Structures are given as C-alpha cells and as structure tokens.
C-alpha cells in the first residue's frame, strides 16, 4: 500500500564536553567509542519512557573510520551502550557533516515509515586519529587537474575563500572570532550550554581518574590584540590563524529522533520538527562556501526567504566561511539570529560530531524563543560540499 510521509521530530540531544586533541587533551587516554557510548547511555537515561527495544536504528558518524572509530561504530556503540542485540546500527561518513547526515538519513527512514525511533550522532577523536590518517588520495585528482592541491588542506581552502571575498579581511575574521568567544562565555555564565553536556570519565598519567564536565577549548577574554599576534600557518602573510578557526578536537554527540505521533505515544516531548534538508557541492578549493547553495536550494524548495529564518546555527570551521555565508545572504556580521550562544571557534569542532551540537543548541534556543518559527543548522564540508537542515519550532506561538 502507498505510504504517507510522517512528521519527524528531534526529541533530545546530548554531547560529551569537547576536548583539545593531543597528548595533554581531556580525552588523550579515552577511547573514541567510549565517548559515543557515554552519549547514547545518557540519552536513554534522560528518556526513561522509551523502551530500549523501540529504538529501530543507531547511526553514528566518524570521519576516520579506523581503530576505536571503526568496526561499524553505530552497531558496536549500540551493543556497548547496552541496547538490545536486536537493535541494528551502522557507520556513516560525510566528513564534518557526518552527524548531520546521520540525522537526515535516519529521519528520511522515519518519514518513509521504515523506523519509528532512532539514535543518530557522531564521534571524532582527532588526537588518536588525525584528519587524513590512512587516506590515500587518488593521484588523478592532481594529475588530471580535477582539483587544485589546496583543496586537500582545509586551512588553505579558507585562505582561498578570503581571496574570493577580499572584503572579508583578517581583522573582520578576528572580530567575528572574538564575538564567538564572548558569546560562549556568556552562555556558560547563564547556564545555557551545560544542560546537554554528559559528564564523562577521563584518565591521565599525571592526574589519574577525573571527570570532564565542561568544554576545554574556549578561551574567554580573548582580544583582537591577542589574535593579531598569531601566525598564519597556511600562507605567508595570510588571514587564517588558530584564533579565527576551530581547533583540533575530540568529542561525541547523540540525539533521539522519532515520528511525531510515536513520540507522543511514548511520552517523549518533541523539541523541534524537521521540515527539509539539502546538501550541495561546490569547488573543493573553496569548500567553505558550501552552506550557501545548500541553503539556497532548501529555501527555494520550501518557498521561504532568509527573512523567514529566526535562528541560524552555522558551524564555525573558519570565521571566513561563516562571513562568506552572511555576505551572500546580506546578513550583518553581528546579527543576533546567528549562533547566539557562540560556536565552534570557541567550543571546538570534532569533525563528524558537530552537526548534532548545532541541533542541540537550536532546539534549546527554540524553547526560549517561542516567537521564532523556523531555524537552520548549516555547515561546510570537506572536498567541497555544504549541508543545511530546516527546522520548525514545535512551541511556536503562532501555531496556537
């Protein structure tokens, strides 16, 4: 029989605190799979009305699928988290948009009727598995001049984006980065970020066992003078620095999605409704511009304009990438709709996990902003892509 598409809702989302990658980072002695297991267990603990056997799928993204991020991590994490053996799982990779794609792919299954409830998320332990580890790019990429050599180095693609948008100066990028740090500090002070952080056991050789309860990367008090002194490692006299880009990070995210009618049947409270999503490709050399065509496609398909969007959570891989998006849509650099609680420049960007962090923050903002109907989560993706998801606030006051 023909199937009718069902509404898909975001029920809940959690994440580990994000750590700095490296031998002195929070998770230097912690396995990647244990990070995502911790997030899945917390999701189930926070939603006791959901019988574990009602979870139909576990989709977990990782960019570097090897070692403790391999072994079909969605399935292995489901087993390690204590879900019934009857619950399947799989791994997924779309680089930085891994968790976003885990959400959109499983949500499509819910809408189609193949699933009722799913867990989707991502993990990246960049300390154990640096970006590009074990990768063997086909020599034809360069031999056949399919891409410029800079396309394979994310920082170089950001420098290329500065070339394409000369009005986006280093000073402007630094100013954006300072605001991101300030917004995260203010959000922490107001208790906005902590509710979705999962306290995570950690161990170090020097200090023994401990507990990670907050993000490690933020640098409150960062000033423009501080950023002006930083080196430009991707180009001599360039624009991209460690201060106006996200760092190398470790962390995991997980969220609960469900058909809206099933969520209400099980006593689960939806936070937002997924309306549509879009992915688009761009020249790999300027991968940071990817969110622009992805968002254009999405808005056009839903007969919306940027004026209809009340909140925008955009991943801050690089300040220039965010500013290029804002330039295109004629949005001010300090527009209050954009990343109100800060973003990845301060919080960190553990590649495949970040998409669900954006969704967590948007869903929390929706709870406070009942005057806002629509919001976006959007991000650029390595090798020249962008992804955008359109969400509707289930508490929008205009629906009452």
């Amino acid at each position: 029989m023909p199937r009718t598409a069902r509404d898909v809702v975001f029920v809940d989302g959690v994440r580990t605190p994000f750590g700095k990658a490296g031998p002195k980072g929070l998770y230097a002695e912690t396995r990647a799979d244990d990070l995502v297991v911790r997030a899945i267990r917390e999701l189930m603990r926070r939603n006791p009305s959901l019988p574990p056997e009602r979870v139909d799928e576990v989709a977990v993204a990782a960019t570097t699928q090897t070692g403790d991020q391999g072994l079909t991590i969605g399935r292995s994490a489901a087993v390690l988290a204590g879900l019934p053996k009857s619950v399947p799982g799989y791994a997924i990779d779309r680089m930085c948009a891994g968790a976003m794609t885990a959400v959109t792919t499983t949500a499509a299954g819910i809408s189609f009727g193949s699933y009722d409830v799913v867990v989707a998320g991502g993990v990246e332990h960049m300390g154990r598995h640096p970006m590009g580890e074990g990768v063997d790019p086909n020599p034809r990429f360069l031999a056949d001049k399919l891409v410029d050599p800079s396309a394979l180095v994310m920082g170089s693609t950001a420098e290329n984006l500065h070339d394409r948008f000369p009005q986006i100066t280093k000073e402007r990028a630094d100013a954006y980065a300072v605001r991101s740090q300030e917004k995260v500090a203010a959000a922490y002070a107001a208790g906005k970020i902590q509710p979705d952080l999962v306290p995570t056991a950690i161990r170090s050789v020097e200090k023994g066992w401990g507990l990670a309860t907050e993000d490690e990367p933020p640098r409150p008090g960062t000033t423009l003078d501080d950023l002006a002194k930083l080196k430009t490692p991707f180009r001599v006299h360039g624009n991209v620095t460690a201060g106006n880009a996200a760092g190398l990070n470790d962390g995991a995210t997980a969220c609960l999605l469900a058909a809206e009618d099933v969520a209400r049947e099980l006593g689960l409270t939806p936070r937002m409704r997924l309306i549509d999503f879009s992915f688009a490709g761009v020249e790999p050399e300027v991968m940071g511009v990817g969110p622009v065509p992805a968002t254009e496609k999405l808005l056009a398909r839903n007969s919306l304009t940027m004026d209809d969007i009340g909140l925008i959570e955009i991943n801050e891989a690089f300040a220039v990438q965010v500013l290029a998006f804002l330039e295109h849509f004629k949005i001010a650099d300090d527009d209050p709709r954009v990343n109100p609680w800060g973003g990845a420049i301060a919080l960190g960007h553990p590649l495949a996990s970040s998409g669900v962090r954006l969704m967590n923050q948007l869903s929390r903002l929706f709870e406070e902003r009942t005057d806002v109907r629509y919001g976006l989560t959007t991000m650029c993706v390595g090798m020249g892509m962008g992804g955008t998801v359109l969400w509707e606030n289930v508490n929008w006051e205009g629906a009452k």
Side-chain angles (χ1 to χ4, degrees):
M1 294 179 62
R3 302 188 183 192
T4 301
R6 300 187 298 174
D7 286 335
V8 180
V9 292
F10 181 100
V11 172
D12 199 2
V14 299
R15 66 179 178 90
T16 67
F18 288 169
K20 296 179 181 178
K24 295 184 179 180
L26 278 179
Y27 302 121
E29 301 296 325
T30 304
R31 289 178 60 96
D33 48 11
D34 284 338
L35 291 176
V36 74
V37 165
R38 184 72 188 90
I40 294 172
R41 284 178 172 168
E42 178 65 9
L43 263 187
M44 301 306 293
R45 187 195 69 79
R46 285 173 31 154
N47 294 276
S49 68
L50 172 62
E53 63 273 13
R54 290 298 301 271
V55 176
D56 294 311
E57 187 72 272
V58 177
V60 176
T63 302
T64 307
Q65 295 188 14
T66 187
D68 53 350
Q69 289 182 180
L71 197 61
T72 314
I73 194 166
R75 170 61 174 174
S76 58
V79 173
L80 290 165
L83 294 178
K85 301 296 194 301
S86 58
V87 177
Y90 65 99
I92 197 164
D93 172 25
R94 201 198 292 261
M95 292 192 175
C96 302
M100 176 179 282
T101 305
V103 166
T104 57
T105 301
T106 52
I110 293 172
S111 181
F112 186 70
S114 300
Y115 307 137
D116 285 337
V117 181
V118 302
V119 171
V123 62
E124 208 73 54
H125 199 307
M126 300 181 76
R128 283 175 174 256
H129 307 292
M131 183 165 54
E133 179 191 29
V135 171
D136 179 20
N138 194 302
R140 289 201 304 106
F141 278 124
L142 301 183
D144 293 356
K145 298 185 178 180
L146 300 174
V147 300
D148 185 84
S150 63
L152 303 179
V153 180
M154 295 302 98
S156 296
T157 68
E159 290 284 8
N160 293 342
L161 206 52
H162 273 286
D163 294 341
R164 180 167 290 195
F165 293 88
Q167 67 271 38
I168 303 177
T169 61
K170 180 179 182 297
E171 291 72 24
R172 189 172 160 193
D174 285 349
Y176 181 89
V178 167
R179 283 195 298 274
S180 182
Q181 296 283 357
E182 291 172 344
K183 288 190 284 188
V184 165
Y188 254 103
K192 304 294 187 184
I193 292 175
Q194 295 91 325
D196 290 331
L197 296 183
V198 183
T200 303
I202 55 175
R203 186 177 72 86
S204 71
V205 175
E206 294 84 5
K207 299 179 181 179
W209 288 97
L211 196 65
T213 59
E214 61 183 31
D215 295 302
E216 187 179 22
R219 293 178 178 171
T222 297
T223 67
L224 284 172
D225 286 342
D226 295 331
L227 298 188
K229 300 171 186 175
L230 297 178
K231 296 179 180 179
T232 57
F234 302 104
R235 183 183 294 178
V236 177
H237 305 304
N239 299 284
V240 179
T241 72
N244 58 33
L248 304 178
N249 305 108
D250 309 328
T253 59
C255 71
L256 201 58
L257 306 171
E260 187 163 5
D261 57 340
V262 173
R264 300 194 185 281
E265 169 203 330
L266 294 175
L268 303 171
T269 303
R271 287 207 221 159
M272 56 186 183
R273 187 176 295 112
L274 198 159
I275 301 300
D276 198 0
F277 61 88
S278 178
F279 292 92
V282 297
E283 303 101 310
E285 296 83 358
V286 286
M287 68 92 197
V289 81
V292 170
T295 301
E296 286 182 323
K297 285 171 59 177
L298 191 62
L299 294 177
R301 192 160 61 222
N302 290 276
S303 300
L304 298 172
T305 70
M306 197 56 81
D307 291 338
D308 297 306
I309 306 302
L311 289 165
I312 301 167
E313 283 291 326
I314 179 169
N315 191 46
E316 298 171 354
F318 301 93
V320 64
Q321 156 250 314
V322 178
L323 294 171
F325 178 90
L326 300 182
E327 277 276 329
H328 179 84
F329 288 105
K330 296 180 173 56
I331 299 171
D333 293 3
D334 59 353
D335 191 302
R337 294 177 294 172
V338 181
N339 294 2
W341 296 345
I345 287 173
L347 290 170
H349 173 32
L351 302 184
S353 67
S354 288
V356 166
R357 181 193 66 76
L358 300 175
M359 297 169 193
N360 286 350
Q361 291 195 193
L362 178 62
S363 70
R364 289 293 184 187
L365 286 159
F366 271 158
E367 290 177 337
E368 296 187 1
R369 296 289 307 278
T370 58
D371 60 310
V372 171
R373 181 176 186 181
Y374 294 118
L376 296 178
T377 54
T378 186
M379 61 200 313
C380 62
V381 190
M383 284 304 293
M385 292 181 285
T388 305
V389 186
L390 174 65
W391 302 90
E392 183 178 32
N393 190 350
V394 297
N395 298 308
W396 177 53
E397 58 193 28
K400 299 175 182 178

